[in-house]
Amino acid sequence: MAQDLYEIMPTRTLNLGNCYLHDFSFQEAASGSAPVTGVKISMDWNGIFPSHEIDQRKVIHAINFQPTPNLNAMIQVLRGIHRDQPLVLKVKDFHDPRDEAMFVTYFPQVMPPILMYTRSNATGFWAVEPVCGLLGAPEPKLGPELSDAYNQLTTNTDDSFASRIQQCMVCIETRPVCPANGQYTDRRSGTGLVVDPHRGLVLCSAQLLPNPTSNISATFGAIQCHLTLAYMHPLYPVVFLKYDPALLTAIIPDLGLLKPDNRLCVGDPVTLLVGTNSRLKQCSATVSGRQILTTALCESCLDQVFINTEKIILSPTPDPMECNIGVICVDDQVRGVLLSLPECFHSTYPVKYVGLDIALILPALSQLRTSDIVPNSVRVLDVEFSRLSLATARAFGVSAQRLQNILHSVPEARSIFKVCRILNIRPTDMVSLEIGDIVLQVNRRNVEHIDDIACFDCDLVQLTIIRQGRELDLSIPTTPFRGANTNYIVYWAGMYFQKPYHTVLQQATRPVSNVYVFDFTDGSPIAMESFHRRMFVSEISKHNIHTLDDVVRVAKLVRDPNLVEFNKRVASNEKMISGIIPGRDVIIRIVMLNGEDVLKSFRTNDQYFPAWQLRRGPRIDDNWVLEEF
């Protein structure tokens, strides 16, 4: 029933990508109703195992049909498995051994180091040792059997447009490695749309991938393959993913997306297609309105908000339980997409879906089709716009001639755009927009749509505005939008460091450095000192901190040189007089978002909270690489 009946609690724990596994202990085995052997799942932070099928009451007793009565047996089984091969797990519920299940899963492409924790009976300390040789095999290429299986699954004699859409729908699953961009490590699944089968580009909702550090996999028929994050759009709730099209011999149809000047109008009848590649639902709808999308800021997470975006409203309203992406079609042509909005666990925002013209997405898609580099960040005016109807524009000083020009260039125009909120206060000597300003022209061209003033690719933009009834020409500097495409995370002393993103910079009173702490691990040294999350770091032990590389440099300097020797003594069960865990006393200077300057001291714990960095390159098909230091 238990490996050692004299052991009340387990003495060894395997950390497999932040999933903690140990031998089934006597304490838990005694509480069951029948004898059970196997490896207990203590905690699964990163969702290596399907959360809806496995929980902390489950015991793994076989992997790929080989018994795993204890940790040693499990490690031997895992040594013979490729990283990208499927895992067939048999599990039992130790409260009811008759409750037995079998399911298939895959290991994440990127995960923290695999570690074995062994408790010393002499001191009570835990030795930490890396487990070598697990999941290190190269990625196997798809053989002809899998390719033929996919061909059989996707072969469809129906050549209708709906059938082509269905073949482009893929099931996507995301599993974050660590917290980032105001998002934690919750696992998500949903549907994506292949928008370029030749480049292997998939479009999905940002709700499916709010955290850029995620491991991403997609299921094409019977084949599961790894995807990389190609681009998280800074303005719209869309994400582009990339897979290797050479892995699939089947031809996924090209949807032939329209040119950017095709937009849906109020009153247009449309066909909405939602579902997956195994089940597609088709329904008729009408474009009932167009409004400016504004999502609320979650002050707990400071996650990305979406403003200055024109959304499409459909009638009847789609069922929010259908899926997280839909295709809006007119006459067998893709004219828009319906996307579920990102939500954090604090969110109470009532709008679940937003419709977007495909014209808004095509510029980014065009860049991804022609370049392997992640697109540069866009530039914005750092203001929020609202609509002002043409009927009331005269009262704000817009001349009749201007209104005639607007109607001549955009006959269906019913409104213009007014500044309703300043998002980032600029120095008083800098020319900027003010609340109430009405923007008429950008670089001598009439503003036709909100996206004409939402983003730019230049440092300075020429605007014609109405301010307090007077028409003015201004040269306004734009601000780089540090969006969601984070590519560097540092973990030290229990804290997660990253570059501050745009929402943080808008809320910060005094961003003193390019180093921002969003979260920390419970029980870590920094958590024990009652630190607040969401802060800038400017100094560690009298070393100035400006960048993430500075954090890595200082972390190496303050690392305890006795760590290796301490670990060896614990592993050998040696008695020690000193009970101090390896670490250093450090002083850290932080600046809160409200500008408050705080100086704190604490002691690091190099034994149980080792430092590491997570990075990815500038290419759209670059993987994350985790490295301890």
Side-chain angles (χ1 to χ4, degrees):
M1 185 161 59
Q3 184 181 1
D4 187 351
L5 294 180
Y6 295 97
E7 291 291 344
I8 301 300
M9 296 296 290
T11 57
R12 295 195 311 157
T13 297
L14 179 67
N15 180 350
L16 190 62
N18 279 343
C19 176
Y20 292 88
L21 307 163
H22 58 72
D23 289 320
F24 199 39
S25 67
F26 172 70
Q27 181 174 340
E28 290 186 307
S31 67
S33 58
V36 176
T37 60
V39 176
K40 171 75 162 45
I41 299 174
S42 176
M43 184 179 296
D44 186 9
W45 282 354
N46 283 19
I48 286 181
F49 302 118
S51 58
H52 64 282
E53 298 194 48
I54 201 165
D55 55 34
Q56 296 180 17
R57 297 190 309 172
K58 295 293 191 294
V59 176
I60 302 173
H61 66 92
I63 296 179
N64 288 9
F65 306 102
Q66 299 184 53
T68 56
N70 51 51
L71 266 183
N72 287 336
M74 172 178 280
I75 291 174
Q76 291 304 315
V77 172
L78 292 176
R79 289 189 193 278
I81 298 176
H82 292 287
R83 176 182 291 272
D84 294 279
Q85 283 183 326
L87 293 177
V88 181
L89 289 97
K90 287 187 175 181
V91 300
K92 288 183 178 180
D93 189 317
F94 67 83
H95 285 306
D96 183 5
R98 295 169 299 178
D99 182 4
E100 185 173 8
M102 181 173 66
F103 56 89
V104 180
T105 188
Y106 291 79
F107 279 107
Q109 190 75 8
V110 181
M111 59 184 182
I114 301 173
L115 302 173
M116 179 68 78
Y117 296 87
T118 305
R119 182 168 60 86
S120 166
N121 291 328
T123 64
F125 290 125
W126 291 79
V128 184
E129 299 174 290
V131 180
C132 301
L134 285 188
L135 311 175
E139 178 181 355
K141 297 296 181 181
L142 293 180
E145 296 84 4
L146 281 178
S147 296
D148 291 344
Y150 182 73
N151 277 316
Q152 292 174 9
L153 284 170
T154 56
T155 298
N156 194 335
T157 56
D158 184 2
D159 194 34
S160 66
F161 184 74
S163 177
R164 291 167 57 200
I165 293 290
Q166 184 173 359
Q167 293 177 63
C168 292
M169 294 285 192
V170 294
C171 298
I172 296 174
E173 184 176 56
T174 64
R175 293 180 277 186
V177 178
C178 66
N181 285 13
Q183 295 291 331
Y184 294 91
T185 55
D186 55 323
R187 175 179 182 167
R188 303 192 181 187
S189 60
T191 307
L193 179 71
V194 178
V195 290
D196 191 331
H198 310 293
R199 289 278 288 171
L201 295 173
V202 179
L203 177 72
C204 72
S205 164
Q207 186 270 339
L208 187 56
L209 190 79
N211 187 326
T213 69
S214 298
N215 288 283
I216 314 165
S217 60
T219 303
F220 295 81
I223 301 172
Q224 186 177 66
C225 68
H226 171 70
L227 282 76
T228 57
L229 170 60
Y231 186 54
M232 300 183 79
H233 204 290
L235 301 178
Y236 313 128
V238 298
V239 173
F240 290 94
L241 309 176
K242 175 78 163 59
Y243 67 90
D244 183 0
L247 294 177
L248 300 172
T249 59
I251 299 176
I252 299 176
D254 194 329
L255 297 179
L257 301 182
L258 289 176
K259 296 180 181 179
D261 56 353
N262 290 273
R263 295 173 184 259
L264 290 167
C265 299
V266 175
D268 284 349
V270 300
T271 300
L272 179 63
L273 301 170
V274 295
T276 65
N277 56 5
S278 60
R279 176 180 175 272
L280 191 71
K281 180 180 178 180
Q282 181 172 326
C283 57
S284 298
T286 303
V287 178
S288 58
R290 298 181 68 99
Q291 296 179 2
I292 294 181
L293 169 67
T294 301
T295 60
L297 173 67
C298 175
E299 296 184 357
S300 298
C301 296
L302 292 182
D303 50 352
Q304 186 178 7
V305 296
F306 299 97
I307 60 173
N308 300 338
T309 299
E310 194 171 37
K311 66 178 181 179
I312 301 167
I313 303 174
L314 297 181
S315 180
T317 304
D319 183 353
M321 300 303 292
E322 289 291 346
C323 70
N324 49 30
I325 190 170
V327 182
I328 304 173
C329 307
V330 177
D331 297 331
D332 288 349
Q333 291 180 324
V334 177
R335 298 286 295 275
V337 288
L338 189 70
L339 302 159
S340 55
L341 284 171
E343 292 182 282
C344 67
F345 60 87
H346 306 101
S347 178
T348 57
Y349 191 61
V351 178
K352 303 299 182 184
Y353 280 104
V354 57
L356 295 179
D357 286 300
I358 199 67
L360 301 179
I361 300 168
L362 288 183
L365 177 59
S366 178
Q367 293 185 59
L368 296 172
R369 281 171 166 167
T370 56
S371 174
D372 291 329
I373 305 299
V374 176
N376 292 328
S377 178
V378 300
R379 303 183 71 88
V380 296
L381 292 172
D382 258 341
V383 299
E384 183 179 344
F385 292 99
S386 62
R387 286 187 182 276
L388 179 67
S389 68
L390 296 183
T392 58
R394 288 295 302 275
F396 285 83
V398 182
S399 66
Q401 184 61 45
R402 280 290 184 190
L403 294 177
Q404 287 294 331
N405 290 340
I406 293 172
L407 290 172
H408 179 73
S409 59
V410 191
E412 69 274 11
R414 295 293 180 269
S415 60
I416 52 180
F417 303 101
K418 177 171 66 78
V419 177
C420 64
R421 186 161 63 107
I422 306 297
L423 301 176
N424 200 357
I425 303 299
R426 297 185 175 181
T428 55
D429 59 345
M430 183 180 293
V431 178
S432 59
L433 291 173
E434 299 177 2
I435 293 178
D437 288 349
I438 299 171
V439 181
L440 301 175
Q441 288 187 327
V442 176
N443 296 329
R444 305 300 179 186
R445 296 184 59 182
N446 289 339
V447 175
E448 299 182 3
H449 305 281
I450 184 67
D451 45 291
D452 292 336
I453 49 178
C455 63
F456 307 91
D457 56 3
C458 54
D459 298 340
L460 200 67
V461 63
Q462 304 295 322
L463 299 181
T464 300
I465 68 169
I466 298 291
R467 176 178 293 173
Q468 297 178 357
R470 297 175 54 206
E471 187 171 304
L472 303 174
D473 290 323
L474 301 178
S475 294
I476 304 292
T478 58
T479 303
F481 192 108
R482 297 190 193 179
N485 293 283
T486 298
N487 59 2
Y488 192 7
I489 304 288
V490 175
Y491 180 76
W492 173 73
M495 292 180 283
Y496 295 95
F497 300 82
Q498 70 169 88
K499 291 182 180 180
Y501 47 97
H502 205 74
T503 308
V504 171
L505 294 174
Q506 288 177 345
Q507 300 298 314
T509 304
R510 192 160 58 95
V512 294
S513 73
N514 211 23
V515 177
Y516 170 70
V517 176
F518 160 65
D519 195 20
F520 50 75
T521 305
D522 291 338
S524 63
I526 202 75
M528 302 299 289
E529 296 296 327
S530 301
F531 267 64
H532 293 284
R533 293 170 168 86
R534 304 186 303 280
M535 58 192 180
F536 293 89
V537 176
S538 62
E539 186 180 299
I540 300 176
S541 293
K542 298 183 179 180
H543 297 275
N544 291 330
I545 301 296
H546 300 289
T547 66
L548 294 175
D549 289 336
D550 292 335
V551 177
V552 174
R553 174 177 54 82
V554 175
K556 292 178 179 179
L557 289 175
V558 300
R559 185 174 184 267
D560 194 325
N562 300 317
L563 174 62
V564 176
E565 182 62 27
F566 175 86
N567 209 38
K568 288 180 179 179
R569 295 176 68 184
V570 174
S572 61
N573 220 24
E574 180 179 337
K575 292 185 178 181
M576 292 179 287
I577 298 176
S578 173
I580 299 178
I581 295 175
R584 289 290 184 88
D585 293 321
V586 298
I587 299 176
I588 184 171
R589 183 181 296 275
I590 61 176
V591 176
M592 311 305 294
L593 291 181
N594 62 5
E596 180 185 0
D597 203 321
V598 180
L599 204 63
K600 284 267 190 175
S601 62
F602 64 94
R603 183 174 179 82
T604 63
N605 185 331
D606 296 336
Q607 174 75 353
Y608 300 136
F609 296 92
W612 47 260
Q613 59 183 352
L614 185 66
R615 304 189 77 159
R616 64 169 300 200
R619 301 170 64 88
I620 61 177
D621 51 1
D622 283 339
N623 285 313
W624 287 96
V625 177
L626 192 147
E627 178 186 7
E628 285 190 299
F629 58 85

